[in-house]
């Protein structure tokens, strides 16, 4: 946990980014569920940044809905430590 560059962390984050940029809500659901399960401390910041990206780029409503759902559940939660 001390090394933010650990490879599996980057893979989980990049999977979420790729699924979002591919505009595939089905893949986003899978990637985000894994992100929350394996990187709960990073999830809030990921979804916060995801919402910022959605404001800058014209994503379809189904993509926005998935990101909004995860942001509402995880984006406002502070890290435990």
């Amino acid at each position: 946990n001390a090394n933010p560059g650990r490879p599996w962390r980057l893979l989980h984050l990049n999977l979420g980014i790729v699924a979002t940029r591919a505009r595939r809500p089905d893949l986003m659901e899978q990637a985000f569920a894994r992100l929350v399960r394996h990187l709960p401390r990073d999830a809030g910041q990921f979804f916060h940044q995801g919402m910022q990206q959605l404001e800058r780029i014209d994503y379809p409503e189904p993509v926005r809905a998935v990101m909004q759902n995860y942001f509402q559940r995880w984006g406002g939660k502070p890290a435990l430590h």
Side-chain angles (χ1 to χ4, degrees), residues 34-51:
R34 288 179 182 175
L35 183 75
V36 167
R37 183 171 55 249
H38 295 291
L39 300 173
R41 291 184 182 171
D42 294 316
Q45 182 65 23
F46 178 87
F47 299 123
H48 178 76
Q49 290 178 358
M51 290 300 295

Side-chain angles (χ1 to χ4, degrees), residues 21-41:
R21 289 184 180 169
R23 300 169 187 237
R24 294 276 310 269
D26 58 326
L27 296 179
M28 291 170 65
E29 289 280 357
Q30 293 173 24
F32 294 175
R34 288 179 182 175
L35 183 75
V36 167
R37 183 171 55 249
H38 295 291
L39 300 173
R41 291 184 182 171

Side-chain angles (χ1 to χ4, degrees), residues 6-22:
R6 54 198 182 275
W8 58 268
R9 178 182 177 269
L10 295 176
L11 289 172
H12 282 296
L13 294 171
N14 284 333
L15 181 61
I17 292 167
V18 169
T20 303
R21 289 184 180 169

